[in-house]
């Protein structure tokens, strides 16, 4: 049984009041669902998975009672397959591409079957992978999020020593601090970290690279460095009144409710969340689940322009979230504490740009204002790393190897892709581990000399 956590979480966390919206299937449900699969040739569901899990294979294994084998198929492709089963936007990935959609029938519940298999392996402590024979190579990884965890696991299988440095007190990255609790609770994220780490690599928490340890130290002590530090804090809007108590960033707020002991929302009657992406939708839904009576999402464009997923927005609507489109915030108002958000109506101009509508200002009552307009890039921390190029704050890497230029640095996950999903971070972490393996092997090969034949 994998019960022991690498780090204890405080009891009485607010997130534990939010139930799991897609609970485990029973064995009978899982078997019945697995038997619906058509085991398609050239299965579109595999092609839609960034980690290319052999979905028909694992589903067939469930159908034939080989649930351990199903878990092995999943984890061989994606060692974060347990969290991905619950957090992946399957509606736009594997499930969205299932052939049943075209037949007008409900698609296979791939995520829930995946969870059925990984829970089976976790509950029984089944392990499928071993540490490879030591190569003597050492890799430092910055950040203990999904990208670094996938990278460290693959490096360990290949025989390289991996040491992860994590600034926070707990590992897991946004799986532990950011993902909506109705998809994944923090303790489940830590359970996954413990499972992955058991292959045999080190995680040093409470060690912020750039503050407690320099990049120079890492490059001199290790043969390669993996950058998996994700993105920075919530973006600022530059609005008057933004610094008032009661006006907070969404990622910071979610981290508190997921991780902090006895953190409680103040007496909130009306919360307003600014933004149109998935973090904004997560925030409104979490606030509704925590019992805030009136929750409004304010977005400066229309529904069609939102970057948040339509299926998530549909759930938010069903849960009673109010939506205010074509409205841009202009100021947070309040005496000593936020009490309202001043907005103005917007529209598309003839030239296609967004413009305010003169005289359209209005006020939304809000005792909590949440900014969910993105995370900053960690450009200042990353600037000046030898051989590393940044493009719009992201680390530029080779698409095959994850290597940054010709440097000792490799990167993956949000700091390189600008902010995608857990499954992308997992895929890119593994890719970088293989890239480093090839880099070490190439460096070990004797230099070919030109031979002159007389
Ligand atoms: C609110 C929110 C909800 C999300 N929900 C979902 C979802 O439901 N499904 C989904 O698939 N994706 C979701 N995502 C996206 C997903 O969480 C990320 O794409 C994924 O976690 C990226 O992994 P990563 O390893 O690159 O970075 P992260 O998960 O951000 O991990 C980076 C780690 O590096 C650490 N770190 C940073 N700087 C340093 C330093 N200098 N030294 C040491 N450590 C450092 C951080 O503390 C952190 O632990 C969500 C994102 C957010 C913000
Ligand atoms: S596309 Fe659907 S039916 Fe076909 S293999 Fe994938 S899950 Fe099964």
């Amino acid at each position: 049984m994998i019960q022991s956590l690498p780090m204890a979480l405080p009891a009485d966390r607010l997130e534990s009041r939010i139930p799991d919206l897609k609970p485990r299937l029973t064995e009978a449900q899982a078997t019945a669902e697995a038997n619906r699969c058509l085991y398609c040739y050239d299965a579109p569901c595999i092609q839609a998975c960034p980690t290319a899990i052999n979905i028909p294979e694992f589903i067939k294994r469930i159908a034939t009672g080989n649930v351990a084998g199903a878990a092995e198929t999943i984890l061989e492709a994606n060692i974060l397959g347990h969290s991905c089963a619950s957090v992946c936007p399957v509606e736009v990935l594997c499930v969205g591409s299932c052939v049943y959609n075209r037949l007008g029938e409900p698609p296979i519940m791939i995520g829930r079957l995946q969870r059925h298999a990984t829970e089976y392996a976790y509950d029984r402590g089944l392990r499928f992978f071993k540490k490879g024979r030591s190569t003597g190579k050492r890799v430092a990884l910055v950040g203990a999020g999904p990208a670094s965890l996938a990278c460290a696991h693959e490096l360990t299988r290949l025989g390289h020593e991996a040491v992860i440095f994590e600034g926070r007190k707990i590992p897991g990255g946004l799986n532990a601090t950011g993902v909506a609790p109705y998809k994944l609770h923090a303790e489940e994220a830590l359970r996954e970290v413990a499972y992955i780490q058991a292959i045999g690599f080190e995680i040093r928490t409470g060690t912020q690279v750039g503050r407690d340890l320099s990049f120079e130290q890492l490059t001199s002590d290790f043969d390669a460095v993996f950058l998996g530090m994700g993105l920075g804090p919530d973006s600022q809007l530059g609005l008057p009144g933004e610094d008032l108590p009661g006006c907070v960033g969404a990622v910071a707020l979610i981290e508190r409710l997921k991780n902090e002991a006895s953190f409680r929302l103040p007496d909130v009657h009306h919360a307003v969340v600014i933004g149109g992406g998935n973090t904004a939708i997560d925030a409104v839904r979490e606030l509704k689940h925590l019992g805030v009576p009136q929750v409004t999402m304010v977005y400066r464009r229309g529904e069609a322009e939102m970057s948040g997923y339509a299926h998530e927005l549909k759930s938010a609507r069903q849960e009673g979230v109010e939506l205010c489109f074509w409205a841009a915030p202009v100021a947070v108002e309040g005496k000593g504490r936020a009490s309202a958000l001043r907005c103005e109506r917007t529209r598309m101009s003839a030239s296609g740009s967004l413009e305010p509508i003169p005289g359209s200002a209005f006020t939304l009552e809000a005792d909590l204002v949440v900014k969910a307009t993105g995370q900053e890039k960690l450009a200042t921390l990353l600037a000046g790393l030898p051989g590393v190029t940044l493009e719009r704050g992201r680390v530029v890497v080779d698409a095959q190897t994850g290597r940054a230029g010709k440097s000792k640095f490799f990167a993956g996950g949000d700091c390189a892709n600008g902010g995608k999903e857990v499954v992308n971070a997992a895929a890119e972490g593994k890719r970088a581990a293989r890239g480093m393996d090839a880099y070490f092997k190439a460096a070990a090969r004797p230099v070919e000399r030109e031979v002159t034949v007389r």
Side-chain angles (χ1 to χ4, degrees):
M1 301 278 277
I2 297 148
Q3 297 290 5
S4 63
L5 301 178
M7 206 73 56
L9 282 164
D12 196 23
R13 289 168 297 114
L14 208 45
E15 75 154 3
S16 52
R17 297 188 182 181
I18 302 179
D20 189 348
L21 290 187
K22 287 186 185 164
R24 293 170 76 155
L25 297 175
T26 62
E27 202 177 322
Q29 286 171 327
T31 309
E33 184 64 4
N35 275 304
R36 286 182 61 231
C37 180
L38 303 171
Y39 312 119
C40 306
Y41 178 72
D42 266 351
C45 53
I46 304 180
Q47 287 160 37
C49 173
T51 57
I53 293 176
N54 191 334
I55 293 165
E57 180 180 281
F58 95 69
I59 295 182
K60 191 164 223 162
R61 289 181 162 185
I62 294 176
T64 54
N66 180 9
V67 187
E72 185 172 3
T73 300
I74 295 160
L75 298 172
E76 173 66 53
N78 177 2
I79 196 61
L80 279 109
H82 181 58
S83 59
C84 284
S86 300
V87 310
C88 259
V90 291
E91 294 81 353
V92 296
L93 295 174
C94 55
V95 173
S97 69
C98 175
V99 292
Y100 271 118
N101 293 297
R102 273 181 269 148
L103 303 174
E105 287 190 42
I108 301 292
M109 293 193 279
I110 301 169
R112 298 188 73 181
L113 288 174
Q114 182 165 318
R115 178 171 172 188
H116 176 73
T118 57
E119 293 272 15
Y120 181 94
Y122 274 41
D123 288 349
R124 289 161 182 76
L126 304 180
R127 304 198 171 280
F128 307 106
F129 314 107
K130 283 203 300 265
K131 201 172 190 164
R133 211 157 57 131
S134 175
T135 62
K137 295 291 178 194
R138 300 180 72 228
V139 178
L141 300 97
V142 186
S148 290
L149 291 166
C151 186
H153 187 268
E154 190 67 10
L155 285 168
T156 311
R157 283 185 79 183
L158 293 165
H160 311 304
E161 185 188 337
V163 183
I164 298 185
F165 297 93
E166 167 57 52
R168 285 184 162 76
K169 287 191 187 135
I170 56 167
L174 284 163
N175 258 353
T177 63
V179 168
Y182 46 80
K183 296 181 198 164
L184 188 77
H185 287 88
E187 67 264 23
E188 206 50 39
L190 294 190
R191 186 176 177 230
E192 181 176 64
V193 174
Y195 182 85
I196 297 172
Q197 197 193 354
I199 194 172
F201 60 84
E202 195 185 340
I203 303 180
R204 294 187 199 161
T205 49
T207 312
Q208 182 86 11
V209 177
R211 184 193 64 196
D212 307 320
L213 198 63
S214 68
F215 280 103
E216 293 76 45
Q217 226 168 314
L218 293 185
T219 47
S220 79
D221 292 355
F222 292 86
D223 297 291
V225 177
F226 178 74
L227 304 171
M229 66 270 282
L231 299 173
D234 293 285
S235 304
Q236 292 280 65
L237 288 168
L239 298 179
E242 194 175 348
D243 296 331
L244 281 171
C247 178
V248 295
V251 178
L253 176 72
I254 295 169
E255 180 169 359
R256 294 191 73 186
L257 69 89
K258 281 181 76 74
N259 296 162
E260 205 173 294
S262 311
F263 169 69
R264 295 290 171 266
L265 291 173
D267 208 13
V268 180
H269 299 282
H270 189 166
V272 174
V273 177
I274 305 166
N278 287 312
T279 299
I281 304 179
D282 279 359
V284 287
R285 294 188 67 195
E286 285 162 47
L287 290 167
K288 261 289 169 197
H289 281 283
L290 288 170
V292 176
Q294 200 178 4
V295 181
T296 309
M297 195 172 102
V298 172
Y299 179 49
R300 62 196 172 125
R301 296 175 192 269
E303 185 172 339
E305 288 81 11
M306 278 180 63
S307 61
Y309 296 126
H311 64 270
E312 296 280 358
L313 186 67
K314 188 175 164 197
S315 302
R317 271 203 173 100
Q318 284 164 350
E319 288 159 7
V321 170
E322 291 173 22
L323 304 165
C324 180
F325 292 114
W326 300 107
V330 291
V332 180
E333 296 177 340
K335 288 202 177 83
R337 189 174 173 85
S339 61
L341 183 70
R342 185 96 179 132
C343 302
E344 60 188 1
R345 290 277 162 206
T346 53
R347 66 182 169 205
M348 296 306 282
S349 70
S351 65
S353 61
L354 196 69
E355 64 178 18
I357 301 176
S360 66
F362 66 101
T363 302
L364 287 172
E365 207 183 302
D367 30 29
L368 179 67
V369 176
V370 183
K371 296 171 287 179
T373 52
Q375 290 170 266
E376 284 173 12
K377 308 279 187 314
L378 291 169
T380 318
L381 179 70
L382 295 165
L385 294 183
V388 174
T389 309
L390 300 183
E391 208 176 85
R392 285 179 292 136
R394 307 171 191 184
V395 182
V396 178
V397 293
D398 179 88
Q400 305 300 318
T401 62
R403 187 173 175 194
K406 299 239 176 284
S407 73
K408 259 181 139 176
F409 292 97
F410 291 72
D414 283 2
C415 74
N417 64 34
K420 288 189 177 172
E421 312 288 349
V422 171
V423 68
N424 303 97
E428 293 168 20
K430 187 172 179 182
R431 170 188 72 183
R434 293 187 173 178
M436 283 184 236
D437 186 58
Y439 162 70
F440 296 146
K441 284 181 177 145
R445 271 198 290 275
V447 181
E448 284 177 28
R449 296 221 172 82
E450 262 186 48
V451 180
T452 315
V453 182
R454 286 170 197 265

